[in-house]
Amino acid sequence: MDKLIINGQRKLYGDVYISGAKNAALPILIASLLSKEALKLKNVPNLFDINTTEKLLFSMGVEILKTDSLLTLKARNIKDFHAPYDLVKTMRASILVLGPLLSRFGHARVARPGGCAIGSRPVDIHIKGFEAMGAKIKNESGDIVASTEHLPNNRLIGAEISMSQVTVTGTENLMMAACLANGVTILKNCAKEPEVIDLGNCLVKMGAIIKGLGTAIITIEGVDELNGAEHSIIFDRIEAGTYMVAAAMTAGEINCIGVESDKMTSVISKLKEAGVDVIKTDNIVSIKSNGKLKSVNLETAPYPGFPTDMQAQFMALNTVAEGVSKIKETIFENRFMHVQELIRMGADIVINQNLAVSRGGKVLEGASVMATDLRASASLVLAALSAKGTTVIDRIYHLDRGYENLEKKFNQIGAHIERVS
Ligand code: EPZ
């Protein structure tokens, strides 16, 4: 298992090129199942989860052609409609194949994703939505088996669906299912994340008829078939936010290149509140910090609220920033796994259910720590970059799921990170 060895207290200076968003690329790669023509994608990040998705799609019969700048997927002859557990257990987002397979082929078998480090991660809202569209869904030895064979011309039927909770992949799964359904589907209480909008924009390029992207109500008018398209994946606002916090915690000055700042308002306003200078030009956000940070209170919420995927990173910032602060995690029930590891580095944090109170102003000490989930491991990298001495982070495969060339990008702006197997 790979480890990262990080020597801390080095100021970060320079340019960081932000990659395509993992959470946009995953549903968009899977959207290729909706058409027999080629979907050509640019700015797809090179991540473990992307490779897992490619493997899954390839196992179903999707033809995949990869050059260094273009990923082409063609679902001309799909022969397997099954997402097996050994793939789903490593990547929960595999549940997203359900919508396209049901919509275009009328049947699918997807291993029910288990929970993960951050919570139980149920998919009941996905299932209820497919059933509202007429699908028959049953459980068979741990798999979700879905079909529309009993429906007229084997097609889902458009429906009005109110989702009981804002769910990102739930919105995405049902939006993809509705594209080829008979009639109009109205999705209510939709997620408004930029990654959901990016998927919707790609589907529209493929010929889908979708209105209301970015609002709580999305209307999809089913069509007979979708065509090929070309699409460039939106930037990764969570990767960008992670580098911005790193600059703040190391009294550095960095330019994040390829960033649409209007999609990061809640994170940028929290950075300003912490005492960081933020300058926005057209596609660059520059961060300058004198290292004197004030800790910030925050509560995670669906977009445009503060993103839960940035909670662990700001927890690390609060441990070194001056003052007592409160972080409330409202999306997932167990997303404080990074706290125990930060405490090993000298942080003073007390958890009470979904509220973490931290007493800041600390100088963290390098230590041996363990990554537990993707964003928790990012927060340990941030803590290590600002800590005195050397930190060894174990189980960093979690990081490789969501951060492209992490140590290379950090070392290019002055960090000292070494990967050892
Ligand atoms: C997506 O997960 C992201 N993953 C997560 O990013 C992100 O943290 C999350 O949205 C919230 O923004 C991808 O896009 C691949 P949800 P998702 O469904 O869709 C409950 C990362 O670090 N819920 O929006 O699985 C659920 O338990 C990952 O990149 C149900 O109860 O999250 C949670 O409390 C981690 N029933 C809440 O809704 C359902 O059927 C929001 O979850 C679905 C969800």
Side-chain angles (χ1 to χ4, degrees), residues 311-325:
Q311 177 259 106
Q313 296 89 320
F314 268 77
M315 182 82 76
L317 182 146
N318 277 349
T319 61
V320 298
E322 282 305 325
V324 178
S325 55

Side-chain angles (χ1 to χ4, degrees), residues 22-24 26-27 49 91-93 95-96 116 118-128 164-172 191 193 195 236-238 301-303 307-309 330-333 335 373-375 401-402:
K22 166 178 87 80
N23 291 348
L26 294 180
D49 276 7
M91 191 186 67
R92 300 175 25 72
I95 188 77
L96 284 166
C116 68
I118 62 176
S120 59
R121 313 292 294 275
V123 289
D124 55 310
I125 300 171
H126 301 234
I127 304 295
K128 281 199 194 89
S164 56
Q165 227 174 312
V166 174
T167 158
V168 170
T169 49
T171 304
E172 293 168 343
E193 272 70 1
E195 296 76 28
D236 194 319
R237 61 194 168 97
I238 306 301
Y303 191 88
T308 173
D309 291 349
T330 70
I331 307 288
F332 292 112
E333 66 267 33
R335 204 168 194 178
D373 59 271
L374 171 54
R375 306 304 174 183
R401 296 189 53 180

Side-chain angles (χ1 to χ4, degrees), residues 38-249:
L39 181 59
K40 298 185 174 159
L41 302 174
K42 290 194 178 109
N43 203 31
V44 178
N46 176 22
L47 299 169
F48 188 76
D49 276 7
I50 297 296
N51 300 335
T52 304
T53 305
E54 289 166 356
K55 252 190 258 168
L56 173 61
L57 293 172
F58 183 73
S59 73
M60 290 178 168
V62 176
E63 297 157 60
I64 298 177
L65 186 67
K66 223 172 163 173
T67 65
D68 57 2
S69 62
L70 188 73
L71 174 65
T72 304
L73 304 120
K74 193 188 275 189
R76 201 169 31 173
N77 310 307
I78 297 302
K79 53 189 189 307
D80 189 342
F81 305 87
H82 177 206
Y85 184 56
D86 61 338
L87 274 176
V88 173
K89 73 180 177 208
T90 63
M91 191 186 67
R92 300 175 25 72
S94 314
I95 188 77
L96 284 166
V97 302
L98 251 182
L101 288 178
L102 258 186
S103 190
R104 183 170 164 215
F105 303 103
H107 55 97
R109 171 189 277 267
V110 178
R112 180 176 286 274
C116 68
I118 62 176
S120 59
R121 313 292 294 275
V123 289
D124 55 310
I125 300 171
H126 301 234
I127 304 295
K128 281 199 194 89
F130 293 131
E131 288 174 334
M133 297 168 87
K136 256 206 181 38
I137 311 253
K138 59 181 193 300
N139 253 331
E140 234 169 66
S141 51
D143 287 348
I144 298 168
V145 181
S147 88
T148 61
E149 263 106 35
H150 58 292
L151 296 174
N153 62 26
N154 189 9
R155 285 265 167 158
L156 288 169
I157 301 163
E160 184 166 323
I161 299 164
S162 281
M163 290 176 277
S164 56
Q165 227 174 312
V166 174
T167 158
V168 170
T169 49
T171 304
E172 293 168 343
N173 227 342
L174 296 173
M175 181 162 68
M176 288 194 279
C179 285
L180 299 175
N182 270 329
V184 176
T185 298
I186 300 173
L187 297 179
K188 294 186 172 176
N189 198 22
C190 293
K192 304 170 187 167
E193 272 70 1
E195 296 76 28
V196 177
I197 299 173
D198 202 36
L199 168 65
N201 290 337
C202 181
L203 292 168
V204 167
K205 286 180 188 173
M206 294 168 75
I209 302 171
I210 302 176
K211 301 266 180 296
L213 287 169
T215 75
I217 301 181
I218 297 178
T219 305
I220 306 105
E221 189 184 327
V223 294
D224 285 344
E225 60 178 15
L226 291 186
N227 318 310
E230 283 205 17
H231 185 76
S232 182
I233 305 292
I234 192 174
F235 81 104
D236 194 319
R237 61 194 168 97
I238 306 301
E239 182 198 25
T242 305
Y243 283 99
M244 291 177 191
V245 172
M249 292 176 69

Side-chain angles (χ1 to χ4, degrees), residues 226-279:
L226 291 186
N227 318 310
E230 283 205 17
H231 185 76
S232 182
I233 305 292
I234 192 174
F235 81 104
D236 194 319
R237 61 194 168 97
I238 306 301
E239 182 198 25
T242 305
Y243 283 99
M244 291 177 191
V245 172
M249 292 176 69
T250 58
E253 188 172 345
I254 68 167
N255 306 309
C256 292
I257 295 167
V259 173
E260 297 168 58
S261 58
D262 63 316
K263 296 186 171 63
M264 296 192 70
T265 41
S266 58
V267 170
I268 287 172
S269 65
K270 282 297 170 188
L271 281 167
K272 283 181 177 169
E273 198 184 313
V276 170
D277 291 333
V278 183
I279 300 140

